[in-house]
């Protein structure tokens, strides 16, 4: 009976001879080794098979590249340092500007102010405290280092403030001031009080026979000045040169 | 049939378990594989010609692999490793082609 094609291999599978087993084992080893080698080859094919000259060239290229990158790093660090110092100086300039702004706004009377100082109450039943006397008082206070002056909680005395008499009434910066007067001053309380009380000064002038009023001066830990001066835009005056930039 | 299963099993194990060879042996594996291929083709040719002997097969396989690796190792020691491995590959390649031609003649009678 003729054998069907293929039946030999089926039979050999069911009853493998020694040769078959040995061939299978050896092919197993070969398959394993081949796969291992292919995987290794795929993993680092660039360098394992490279010749020595190629490797030297690659190393050279890498050295050059790393030197170039190191140069770049140094350059970028320089830039970063520059930017950082630039940011620092900008911050300092801004802080100085803000400080200047604070000083100038207090000077111009555009912001409320607070600090140690004195409160003077001037009573003059005969209404003889004139604009001149009040102006003298303001001058004395400024002499003694007054930083902020306010009259009757209503008028902030600034550089452009003016005083006038309107009949018996007092006018400061266009506002009628009622009596008794209260003058609040921010500055060193001791020097301010001394400036008010010295012989021949403000207090003695008002309490003197010519005016016949009374003055009370009290030192305060904290004087709060909330009235503001409304700044007017200069119509004629312009800075002659560009404003100096702070540093 | 069984040898084919053995081959597929070897490939599967290699892919799944991802075994690694010691670094010292790594340069000799490619040569060993070429030598093994030569032994396999020789065995297949002998099988087709009806003179297959498992003892000869095993001996030729192991000796082929070992001698190929040994030649390359000696070449490495004396500084001509790459040249010698090329020589081994060429010789084994010629043998593989010769065996393949014989297999072809036996299979297709052409």
């Amino acid at each position: 009976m003729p054998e069907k094609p293929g039946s030999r291999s089926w039979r050999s599978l069911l009853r493998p001879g020694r040769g078959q087993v040995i061939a299978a084992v050896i092919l197993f080893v070969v398959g394993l080794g081949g796969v291992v080698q292919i995987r290794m080859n795929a993993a680092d094919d660039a360098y394992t098979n490279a010749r020595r000259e190629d490797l030297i060239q690659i190393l050279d290229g890498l050295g050059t590249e790393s030197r170039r990158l190191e140069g770049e790093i140094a350059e970028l660090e320089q830039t970063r340092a520059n930017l950082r110092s630039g940011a620092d100086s900008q911050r300092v300039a801004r802080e100085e500007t803000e400080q200047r702004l604070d000083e100038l706004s207090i000077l111009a009377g555009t912001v409320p102010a607070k600090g140690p100082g004195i409160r003077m109450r001037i009573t003059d039943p005969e209404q003889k405290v004139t604009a001149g006397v009040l102006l003298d008082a303001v001058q004395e206070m400024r002499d003694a280092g007054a930083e902020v002056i306010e009259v009757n909680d209503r008028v902030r005395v600034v550089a452009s403030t003016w005083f006038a008499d309107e009949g018996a009434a007092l006018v400061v910066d266009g506002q009628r001031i009622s009596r008794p007067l209260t003058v609040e001053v921010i500055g060193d309380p001791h020097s301010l009080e001394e400036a008010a009380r010295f012989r021949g000064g403000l207090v003695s002038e008002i309490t003197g026979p010519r005016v016949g009023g009374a003055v009370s001066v009290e030192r305060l830990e904290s004087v709060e000045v909330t009235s503001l001066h409304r700044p007017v835009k200069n119509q004629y005056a312009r800075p002659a040169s560009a404003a100096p930039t702070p540093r | 049939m069984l040898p084919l299963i053995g081959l597929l099993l070897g490939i599967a194990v290699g892919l799944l378990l991802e075994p690694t060879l010691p670094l010292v042996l790594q340069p000799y594996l490619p040569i060993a594989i070429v030598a093994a291929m030569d032994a396999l083709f020789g065995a297949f040719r002998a099988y087709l010609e009806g003179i297959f002997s498992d003892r000869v097969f095993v001996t030729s396989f192991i000796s082929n692999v070992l001698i190929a690796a040994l030649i390359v190792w000696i070449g490495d020691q004396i500084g001509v490793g790459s040249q010698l491995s090329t020589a081994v590959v060429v010789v084994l390649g010629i043998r593989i082609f010769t065996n393949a031609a014989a297999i072809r003649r036996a299979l297709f009678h052409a």
Side-chain angles (χ1 to χ4, degrees):
Chain A
M1 201 171 112
E3 281 185 354
K4 276 189 286 184
S7 63
R8 191 174 113 185
S9 56
W10 281 116
R11 210 173 55 214
S12 73
L13 182 63
L14 296 173
R15 272 177 310 199
R18 200 170 58 147
Q20 295 262 322
V21 174
I22 288 168
V25 168
I26 285 174
L27 274 168
F28 173 82
V29 171
V30 170
L32 189 66
V35 168
V36 168
Q37 173 61 19
I38 288 167
R39 275 189 45 248
M40 258 164 29
N41 214 22
D44 53 5
D45 52 347
Y47 303 116
T48 28
N49 302 327
R51 291 202 315 278
R52 181 174 299 178
E53 296 81 36
D54 294 343
L55 287 172
I56 288 170
Q57 209 166 354
I58 290 168
L59 195 64
D60 249 17
L62 285 175
T64 315
E65 179 79 357
S66 87
R67 269 197 300 283
R68 191 182 66 75
L69 289 173
E70 271 165 16
E72 204 167 307
I73 286 172
E75 207 170 293
L76 288 171
E77 273 174 355
Q78 179 71 38
T79 312
R80 188 183 62 176
N82 284 346
L83 287 172
R84 189 170 285 172
S85 72
D88 273 358
S89 63
Q90 202 178 357
R91 188 173 50 78
V92 169
R94 195 169 55 224
E95 275 170 8
E96 277 182 9
T97 312
E98 273 166 8
Q99 206 177 335
R100 252 174 98 78
L101 178 69
D102 283 351
E103 287 168 10
L104 290 174
S105 335
I106 287 175
L107 200 60
T110 53
V111 293
K114 185 167 102 167
I118 60 165
R119 181 179 294 138
M120 268 195 297
R121 287 184 199 283
I122 303 171
T123 48
D124 55 329
E126 297 166 40
Q127 306 203 331
K128 280 189 176 161
V129 171
T130 58
V133 174
L134 197 54
L135 184 59
D136 277 350
V138 168
Q139 296 287 31
E140 297 280 6
M141 292 297 101
R142 279 188 177 152
D143 235 16
E147 288 169 359
V148 177
I149 305 175
E150 188 192 38
V151 179
N152 269 14
D153 270 340
R154 279 177 60 199
V155 184
R156 182 86 166 257
V157 179
V158 295
S160 62
T161 304
W162 50 270
F163 301 88
D165 293 315
E166 210 178 78
L170 273 172
V171 176
V172 179
D173 257 357
Q175 292 198 53
R176 204 175 272 268
I177 299 298
S178 61
R179 295 166 207 265
L181 295 166
T182 307
V183 180
E184 285 176 322
V185 186
I186 296 179
D188 176 29
H190 177 72
S191 9
L192 290 173
E193 188 174 1
E194 290 304 311
R197 286 195 194 283
F198 80 97
R199 189 178 295 275
L202 182 65
V203 174
S204 53
E205 191 183 344
I206 292 173
T207 53
R210 207 167 59 79
V211 177
V215 180
S216 75
V217 179
E218 57 177 320
R219 295 192 203 182
L220 295 173
E221 280 296 304
S222 169
V223 176
E224 207 155 330
V225 173
T226 49
S227 64
L228 299 180
H229 172 75
R230 190 184 297 274
V232 190
K233 207 173 174 63
N234 284 337
Q235 206 173 343
Y236 304 104
R238 295 281 179 273
S241 59
T245 50
R247 240 208 331 180
Chain B
M1 206 63 192
L2 202 62
L4 196 66
I5 291 169
L7 179 67
L8 293 176
L9 202 66
I11 291 172
V13 167
L15 285 177
L16 293 178
L17 298 186
E18 302 191 353
T20 46
L21 211 63
L23 203 65
V24 189
L25 292 180
Q26 275 180 7
Y28 310 111
L29 185 60
I31 295 299
I33 288 170
V34 175
M37 276 170 64
D38 170 51
L40 289 177
F41 274 90
F44 193 43
R45 176 194 182 177
Y47 173 74
L48 288 176
E49 289 173 354
I51 52 167
F52 176 76
S53 150
D54 46 13
R55 197 179 333 131
V56 173
F57 175 47
V58 171
T59 317
S60 78
F61 180 87
I62 291 172
S63 68
N64 261 10
V65 167
L66 286 183
I67 289 169
L70 187 70
I71 288 172
V72 176
W73 179 75
I74 290 172
D76 274 346
Q77 301 309 306
I78 61 177
V80 288
S82 59
Q83 287 90 332
L84 264 186
S85 66
T86 309
V88 170
V89 168
V90 166
V91 170
L92 291 177
I94 290 172
R95 284 184 48 135
I96 288 170
F97 267 101
T98 314
N99 284 335
I103 290 165
R104 189 195 66 219
R105 241 176 275 123
L107 278 179
F108 305 114
H109 308 289

